Amino acid sequence: MPIRRPSGFAAALLAAAALLAPDGASAQDYYWENPRSLSDPSARYPAALEVPGGIAVIWQESRSTGPESGEAFLSLALLRDGESEVLNRRFAGPFPFRGDEPVLLSAASSPSGELAVAVLSGDREATVLVSRDGGLTFPVKAAVVSDQTISAPRIFPRSGGGWYLFAARGREDSLSIYYARTEDGRTWTEFRPFVNGGDNLPLSFLPSAASVPGPDVVVFQAPSGGDRPT
């Protein structure tokens, strides 16, 4: 029987827990508790991250401010086994947008237990918030400013501590990845080019970072190759 996505998935977040039959059982069945609502109907773009003692779920909540404009807030729920969820509603915002609501936020957790959220807060600015208690409070808040228009901020932890913040810069026929970094979440370097692709890589986008023993590795997309790039 096909699995059907709930029709209200884009408008409401649901929390559920699953128990899996022990290894070696002849059949494995999933048992789910009844879903319960975490958000109001305007919720969009949920992200779930492991934090010490539980899971943090972050999403956007938006409201219209005009025919083709709106503003978004960030909300969070902290889920712990055997405990009721703790909500941190609209802990950041509002952040204005035009047209259809874009994905404004990026979130990541670090091996040290910190939770960082990056959000596009202006045409040339991303705001980064860092929590050490699973998202209940965000004592660290910093604005990372660019001298040009940016979009799509994406945050990742550094293997040596601190964070990377990637963003896209576009011109008429190109799209490039820029990045800034920090050791403490408060003081950031300036945005600088991540790859200098020139004519070989006129488009680079969607970076994703991970730590391996020693260095940090960043994978990104970049089409190249003549009239029919791949």
Side-chain angles (χ1 to χ4, degrees), residues 71-136:
E71 56 187 16
F73 299 82
L74 304 187
S75 292
L76 178 146
L78 181 58
L79 311 178
R80 297 187 179 103
D81 287 343
E83 300 181 19
S84 299
E85 62 269 10
V86 180
L87 297 179
N88 188 358
R89 297 292 302 276
R90 300 196 172 189
F91 65 85
F95 304 106
F97 61 86
R98 296 182 295 272
D100 295 334
E101 182 183 358
V103 182
L104 297 174
L105 73 91
S106 169
S109 55
S110 71
S112 64
E114 292 184 329
L115 173 67
V117 181
V119 58
L120 189 66
S121 50
D123 290 342
R124 300 186 178 190
E125 179 185 277
T127 296
V128 176
L129 304 99
V130 180
S131 173
R132 297 184 178 90
D133 57 11
L136 299 181

Side-chain angles (χ1 to χ4, degrees), residues 175-199:
L175 183 68
S176 300
I177 300 170
Y178 279 67
Y179 80 104
R181 65 176 184 262
T182 183
E183 295 183 0
D184 58 9
R186 291 183 172 88
T187 304
W188 289 80
T189 65
E190 295 181 352
F191 277 110
R192 63 192 65 181
F194 176 63
V195 290
N196 186 11
D199 295 334

